[in-house]
Amino acid sequence: MIKVTFIEHDGTKTTVEGRSGDSVMSLAAAQGIDGIVAECGGGMMCATCHCYVDDAWFARTGPRSDDEADMLDCAVAEVRQTSRLSCQITLSDELDGLVVYLPEAQV
Ligand code: FES
């Protein structure tokens, strides 16, 4: 299993376990993480699954695609250098221990 820690805007920290091949968004949805809304269900059409990848992990999540970057422009919260759409981050053993921060608002 692959551990992922979600840190909400208020500092609430939740660590859950997912499987290789899951997206960070689907893991959050399955585990009831409030800070991820994911209106489009992972279709990269909503930007309500926005997260900030911890600096130490950002390089390992891989680069954003151009389409992802375009959709991030629609995010409600500030887009930072470490912003990703969590539906576009696929868990793998390399990401065991991943830490992501959630923005104050998604909608
Ligand atoms: S869930 Fe809609 S863009 Fe990620």
Side-chain angles (χ1 to χ4, degrees), residues 49-103:
C49 64
H50 180 197
C51 68
Y52 304 114
V53 178
D54 184 85
D55 289 343
W57 289 93
F58 187 68
R60 276 181 263 184
T61 62
R64 301 172 196 158
S65 68
D66 290 344
D67 288 344
E68 182 181 352
D70 287 347
M71 188 49 63
L72 272 169
D73 287 342
C74 301
V76 168
E78 172 195 7
V79 175
R80 303 176 189 161
Q81 198 166 359
T82 58
S83 288
R84 292 292 311 270
L85 294 177
S86 59
C87 67
Q88 301 302 306
I89 304 173
T90 303
L91 294 180
S92 65
D93 290 340
E94 280 187 348
L95 293 181
D96 187 22
L98 176 67
V99 177
V100 298
Y101 293 83
L102 304 181

Side-chain angles (χ1 to χ4, degrees), residues 25 36-50 71 85-88:
M25 178 281 285
I36 297 283
V37 176
E39 280 177 348
C40 79
M44 207 163 61
M45 299 179 69
C46 73
T48 62
C49 64
H50 180 197
M71 188 49 63
L85 294 177
S86 59
C87 67
Q88 301 302 306

